[in-house]
């Protein structure tokens, strides 16, 4: 049986997940073990969990991929990537972590792959004390999801859902489907082998500490909830912007996906749910997820005419970001020269429920925007009458609560205050909360929290079938409208700008215009 990796992290910024949350012994099986996600996110997350004492000593990590690697080759490749993670005591702790690592080669559609995997897992139950518990992580292309799950079932590598111990759970990466029809088909394939309680559809945004803090801010403070409704909120803006283009050879993948599928259907929909949901009866997984899905069900059913009025898609052309010239989308590697794939989406929508009726929600995301940032801005209504003098160029930002997801995680509240020595003139001021300053720790990486939760059997931060299908239902209406012969092509915008001019026309009202982050 292996020894536990050190229980105290030399980096105090990693000591933010309580030791009490140590899961059962288990084997973590990573399909797609030679891929970028495994090396860049999954194995570093498992390393830091182990480094901080949040993994049981009886835990093995098994990589599965086509390459004919030995355990030693797999460990060597991971050592190269992990050695760059900034841990000053890496050389000391790596040998202990390396004893957890094993590799099993094979293609995903070959039954022999799973026979070999089963034999290896049985061996690890004896050598590492993993007790038959299995976590399968599908870090593979979406076309392999159904195949792997079917093969796991055929090989007897998943257990009946009614069996509490040992357990088997499967984590499925996004995208979960390409549209509503494919999502439903994938759900049928998955549930033919697994029970819903065994399926963990991951959206790493929900693992971000600052995203989870949205619920704490809303339902842990009585000062916000009474005004969190249509009577006091004028509008809500949700922005996820990226300055990168098609980095890392993503052009081919992205050209078949686009901003709507890649970001709106999952990340932005989840942020919308957390901002708009009702208070759950408790913090159990079903209670929280029930309220999230109600928000998605309250989204409107749009016609193509509705989409034309409320959605703008764009595509970047050559420009500059931070003084560096960058190519247009059509010049990116892997992108078709005549591609109409959108790299920017802006949506204006409402929710058909009692709390939010009539309040516009503005969602936008895009590539090659001026900076990488994610935030939610809640604009409260202005006072009904003006008693003080307010400079017109300073009034627009007041009565505004901004929740910063990245970077500079935290929140700020802008309001009006009287300028010293003046009789009546007001000026905008801010109260600012920064996560790192307030708690003296950096938030944990999202994958650390999410991997720990699935090992603990807590699906709160994972997406349920009904939520996936409700989000696709809304996005399908947009995709269908764009597929019409008379649909206009994506509007061009210069790389380094905040998107096409047509998006500005979506926002109307006293505080018109998108926020410049």
């Amino acid at each position: 049986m292996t020894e536990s990796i050190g229980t105290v992290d030399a980096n105090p910024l990693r000591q933010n997940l309580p030791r009490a949350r140590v899961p059962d012994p288990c084997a973590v099986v990573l399909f797609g073990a030679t891929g970028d996600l495994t090396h860049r996110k999954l194995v570093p997350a498992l390393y830091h969990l182990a480094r901080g004492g949040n993994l049981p000593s009886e835990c093995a990590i098994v990589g599965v991929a086509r390459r004919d690697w030995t355990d030693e080759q797999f460990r060597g490749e991971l050592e190269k990537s992990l050695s760059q993670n900034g841990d000053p005591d890496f050389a000391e702790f790596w040998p202990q972590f390396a004893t957890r690592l094993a590799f099993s080669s094979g293609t995903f559609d070959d039954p022999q792959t799973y026979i070999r995997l089963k034999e290896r897992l049985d061996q690890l139950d004896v050598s590492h004390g993993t007790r038959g518990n299995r976590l399968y992580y599908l870090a593979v292309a979406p076309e392999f999801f159904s195949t792997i799950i079917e093969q796991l079932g055929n090989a007897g590598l998943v257990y009946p859902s009614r069996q509490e111990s040992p357990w088997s759970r499967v984590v499925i990466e996004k995208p979960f489907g390409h549209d509503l029809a494919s999502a439903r088909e994938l759900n049928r394939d998955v549930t033919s082998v697994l029970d819903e309680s065994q399926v963990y559809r991951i959206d790493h945004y929900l693992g971000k500490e600052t995203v989870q803090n949205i619920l704490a801010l809303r339902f842990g403070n009585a000062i916000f909830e009474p005004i969190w409704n249509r009577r006091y909120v004028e509008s809500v803006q949700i922005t996820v912007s990226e300055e990168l283009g098609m980095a890392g050879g993503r052009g081919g993948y992205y050209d078949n996906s686009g901003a709507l599928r890649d970001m709106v259907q999952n990340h932005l929909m989840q942020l919308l749910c957390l901002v708009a949901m009702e208070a759950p009866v408790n913090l159990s997984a079903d209670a929280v997820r029930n309220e999230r899905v109600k928000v998605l069900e309250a989204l409107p059913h749009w016609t193509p005419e509705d989409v034309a009025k409320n959605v703008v898609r764009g595509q970047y052309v050559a420009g500059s970001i931070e003084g560096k010239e960058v190519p247009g989308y059509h010049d990116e590697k892997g992108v078709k020269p005549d591609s109409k794939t959108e790299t920017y989406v802006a949506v204006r929508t409402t929710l058909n429920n009692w709390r939010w009726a009539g309040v516009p929600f503005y969602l936008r995301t895009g590539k090659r925007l001026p900076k990488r940032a994610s935030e939610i801005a809640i604009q409260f209504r202005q006072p009904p009458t003006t008693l003080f003098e307010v400079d017109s160029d300073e009034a627009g930002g007041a009565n505004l609560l901004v929740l910063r997801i990245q970077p500079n995680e935290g929140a700020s509240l802008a309001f009006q205050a009287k300028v010293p020595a003046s009789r009546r003139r007001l000026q905008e001021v801010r109260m600012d909360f920064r996560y790192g300053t307030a708690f003296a720790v950096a938030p944990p990486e999202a994958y650390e929290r999410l991997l720990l939760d699935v090992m603990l059997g807590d699906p709160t931060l994972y997406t349920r079938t009904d939520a996936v299908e409700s989000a696709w239902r809304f996005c399908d209406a947009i995709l269908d409208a764009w597929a019409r012969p008379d649909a206009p092509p994506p509007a061009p915008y210069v790389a380094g700008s905040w998107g096409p001019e047509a998006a500005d026309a979506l926002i109307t009202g006293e505080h018109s215009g998108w926020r410049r982050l």
Side-chain angles (χ1 to χ4, degrees), residues 91-106:
E92 176 184 352
F93 287 96
W94 164 251
Q96 293 174 299
F97 185 72
T99 62
R100 301 175 184 264
L101 301 172
F103 191 82
S104 184
S105 64

Side-chain angles (χ1 to χ4, degrees), residues 6-20:
T7 58
V8 178
D9 193 339
N11 180 359
L13 299 187
R14 286 292 180 190
Q15 297 182 37
N16 40 30
L17 291 170
R19 283 293 314 280

Side-chain angles (χ1 to χ4, degrees), residues 78 82 118 130 139 141 173 178 222 238 246 278 283 323 406 408 420 443 446 449 484:
L78 293 180
L82 283 173
K118 190 175 190 301
T130 49
E173 266 287 345
H178 194 70
I238 302 176
M246 300 299 109
E278 298 293 334
L283 292 179
Q406 63 183 17
N408 303 319
R449 171 65 186 270
R484 290 164 62 100

Side-chain angles (χ1 to χ4, degrees), residues 269-270 272-282 286-301 350-356 463-471 473-474:
M269 290 287 105
Q270 295 302 326
L272 173 65
C273 290
L274 293 174
V275 171
M277 64 184 276
E278 298 293 334
V281 295
N282 54 49
D286 279 340
V288 173
R289 298 200 291 180
N290 286 344
E291 297 305 328
R292 292 211 308 257
V293 78
K294 288 178 185 177
V295 176
L296 298 173
E297 291 172 347
L299 286 165
H301 292 252
T350 56
L351 296 174
N352 299 320
N353 61 23
W354 189 269
R355 179 185 291 264
W356 295 111
T463 308
R464 211 166 55 189
T465 297
D466 50 358
V468 170
E469 295 187 359
S470 293
R473 189 267 306 166
F474 178 74

Side-chain angles (χ1 to χ4, degrees), residues 238-252:
I238 302 176
T239 299
V240 177
S241 67
E242 300 178 273
E243 82 278 11
L244 293 177
M246 300 299 109
R250 292 189 77 231

Side-chain angles (χ1 to χ4, degrees), residues 223-274:
I223 61 174
F224 291 115
E225 185 57 22
I227 59 172
W228 208 268
N229 55 57
R230 68 184 187 279
R231 292 187 61 190
Y232 299 100
V233 175
E234 181 181 280
S235 64
V236 177
Q237 285 191 31
I238 302 176
T239 299
V240 177
S241 67
E242 300 178 273
E243 82 278 11
L244 293 177
M246 300 299 109
R250 292 189 77 231
Y253 160 77
Y254 195 89
D255 206 38
N256 291 314
S257 175
L260 188 77
R261 292 184 173 97
D262 190 49
M263 297 295 289
V264 177
Q265 188 273 334
N266 39 73
H267 297 338
L268 271 74
M269 290 287 105
Q270 295 302 326
L271 296 179
L272 173 65
C273 290
L274 293 174

Side-chain angles (χ1 to χ4, degrees), residues 247-459:
R250 292 189 77 231
Y253 160 77
Y254 195 89
D255 206 38
N256 291 314
S257 175
L260 188 77
R261 292 184 173 97
D262 190 49
M263 297 295 289
V264 177
Q265 188 273 334
N266 39 73
H267 297 338
L268 271 74
M269 290 287 105
Q270 295 302 326
L271 296 179
L272 173 65
C273 290
L274 293 174
V275 171
M277 64 184 276
E278 298 293 334
V281 295
N282 54 49
L283 292 179
S284 67
D286 279 340
V288 173
R289 298 200 291 180
N290 286 344
E291 297 305 328
R292 292 211 308 257
V293 78
K294 288 178 185 177
V295 176
L296 298 173
E297 291 172 347
L299 286 165
H301 292 252
W302 275 344
T303 65
E305 291 71 27
D306 295 324
V307 172
K309 294 177 183 177
N310 294 289
V311 183
V312 170
R313 58 173 170 165
Q315 190 182 85
Y316 65 83
V317 297
S320 65
I321 297 178
E322 296 182 349
K324 181 180 178 180
E325 296 297 319
V326 297
Y329 180 68
H330 284 168
D331 296 322
E332 298 277 17
K333 184 179 179 180
V335 174
K336 296 185 289 291
D338 58 348
S339 173
K340 292 185 178 181
T341 298
E342 77 286 354
T343 62
Y344 175 99
V345 177
V347 178
R348 175 182 58 202
T349 188
T350 56
L351 296 174
N352 299 320
N353 61 23
W354 189 269
R355 179 185 291 264
W356 295 111
V359 176
F361 286 79
Y362 301 102
L363 317 178
R364 64 170 169 170
T365 184
K367 296 281 190 181
R368 290 297 190 200
L369 300 183
K371 62 187 292 188
R372 174 178 176 265
S374 299
E375 71 160 39
I376 300 167
I378 295 92
Q379 178 66 64
F380 294 98
R381 299 187 186 279
Q382 295 295 317
T385 60
T386 302
L387 299 176
F388 298 89
E389 300 170 4
V390 180
D391 292 339
S392 59
D393 59 346
E394 295 194 13
N399 296 286
L400 179 72
L401 175 64
V402 177
L403 310 178
R404 296 187 304 271
I405 298 167
Q406 63 183 17
N408 303 319
E409 294 89 345
S412 65
L413 178 65
F415 56 95
Q416 302 283 15
K418 179 180 172 297
V419 177
S422 74
R423 293 180 58 192
R424 299 186 181 90
R425 193 164 67 87
L426 300 182
Q427 181 176 310
E428 177 191 328
V429 295
R430 292 175 181 270
M431 291 192 298
D432 198 53
F433 153 66
R434 291 178 181 267
Y435 190 99
T437 303
F439 297 110
V441 295
E445 287 293 322
Y447 280 98
E448 293 178 41
R449 171 65 186 270
L450 292 167
L451 283 167
L452 181 59
D453 278 358
V454 69
M455 283 186 274
L456 291 165
D458 182 356

